[in-house]
């Protein structure tokens, strides 16, 4: 493998921010929308400013063709990257999610999915911090889901990788 470890991402352009997802039909557009946030994270012009980047990511998700199902997967992609967008600080999730969406149902979904993802890296009480800022009626189920996910992972002998700083990944 002569090019192993070499990063050859296509260059970012504003006009190409939604590609290739915008050009794909069903069923591929949703899968692409789920993963494009990874490319945005490493290549978008705003990549060095998490607050600006997540606001732009939310705009791009809303502009993605394919309707609600594609938007939902795009937002899930953002939530899966929340560890990087908060610099490993789940308590910043509410701020970041409100930059991505102003819809209360989507805000809850963003924070819930982020909390579930944080459960892969942190003990339940820290993962549940991603639920902070939600109204009580949404915060409690979010915390419960994060704790249940962490417990499920522990039952399956998962170990936390939070000792590994993001810069070393």
């Amino acid at each position: 493998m002569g090019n192993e470890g070499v990063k050859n991402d296509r260059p970012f352009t504003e006009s190409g921010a939604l590609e290739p997802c915008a050009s794909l039909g069903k069923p591929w557009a949703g899968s692409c929308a789920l993963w494009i946030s990874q490319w945005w994270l490493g290549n978008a012009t705003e990549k060095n400013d998490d607050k600006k980047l997540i606001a732009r990511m939310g705009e791009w998700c809303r502009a993605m063709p394919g309707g609600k199902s594609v938007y939902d997967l795009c937002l899930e992609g953002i939530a899966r990257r929340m560890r990087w967008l908060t610099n490993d600080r789940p308590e910043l999730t509410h701020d970041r999610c409100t930059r991505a969406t102003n819809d209360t149902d989507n805000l809850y979904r963003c924070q819930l999915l982020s909390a579930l993802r944080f459960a892969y890296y942190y003990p339940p009480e820290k993962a549940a911090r991603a639920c902070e800022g939600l109204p009580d009626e949404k915060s409690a189920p979010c915390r419960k889901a994060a704790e249940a996910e962490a417990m499920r992972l522990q039952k399956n002998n998962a170990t936390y990788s939070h000792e590994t700083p993001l810069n070393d990944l």
Side-chain angles (χ1 to χ4, degrees):
M1 305 258 178
N3 66 352
E4 192 170 351
V6 175
K7 184 179 175 185
N8 288 319
D9 285 351
R10 64 186 167 90
F12 180 85
T13 62
E14 188 67 33
S15 62
L18 304 182
E19 294 299 335
C21 304
S23 299
L24 298 174
K26 290 185 177 184
W28 303 282
S31 179
C32 184
L34 176 69
W35 288 101
I36 197 167
S37 59
Q38 183 69 38
W39 178 68
W40 291 334
L41 194 62
N43 295 286
T45 309
E46 299 86 351
K47 70 182 180 183
N48 294 320
D49 184 334
D50 295 336
K51 292 176 182 179
K52 285 183 184 176
L53 176 60
I54 197 161
R56 292 296 288 145
M57 290 168 81
E59 290 172 17
W60 293 323
C61 284
R62 286 187 294 280
M64 190 79 62
K68 181 176 175 4
S69 63
V70 172
Y71 172 78
D72 286 348
L73 288 166
C74 190
L75 187 65
E76 181 177 342
I78 292 173
R80 288 178 180 228
R81 311 280 168 315
M82 199 57 67
R83 182 174 177 220
W84 286 269
L85 292 163
T86 62
N87 201 19
D88 263 333
R89 295 173 56 204
E91 62 274 10
L92 296 179
T93 301
H94 181 75
D95 173 75
R96 300 307 191 266
C97 286
T98 56
R99 292 173 190 276
T101 182
N102 59 7
D103 176 86
T104 56
D105 291 333
N106 288 326
L107 175 62
Y108 171 71
R109 196 164 168 276
C110 179
Q111 288 189 239
L112 171 64
L113 293 170
S114 297
L116 295 176
R117 193 64 173 176
F118 275 118
Y120 280 77
Y121 301 97
Y122 299 108
E125 61 279 357
K126 184 166 182 177
R129 289 185 201 156
C131 304
E132 291 176 2
L134 288 169
D136 289 342
E137 68 274 5
K138 297 217 178 206
S139 179
C142 180
R143 288 177 182 281
K144 187 174 181 176
E147 291 165 2
E149 180 69 359
M151 299 309 285
R152 183 190 70 78
L153 292 165
Q154 287 175 354
K155 284 181 185 176
N156 289 296
N157 298 316
T159 56
Y160 299 115
S161 62
H162 64 284
E163 282 86 15
T164 306
L166 286 172
N167 295 338
D168 293 344
L169 295 178

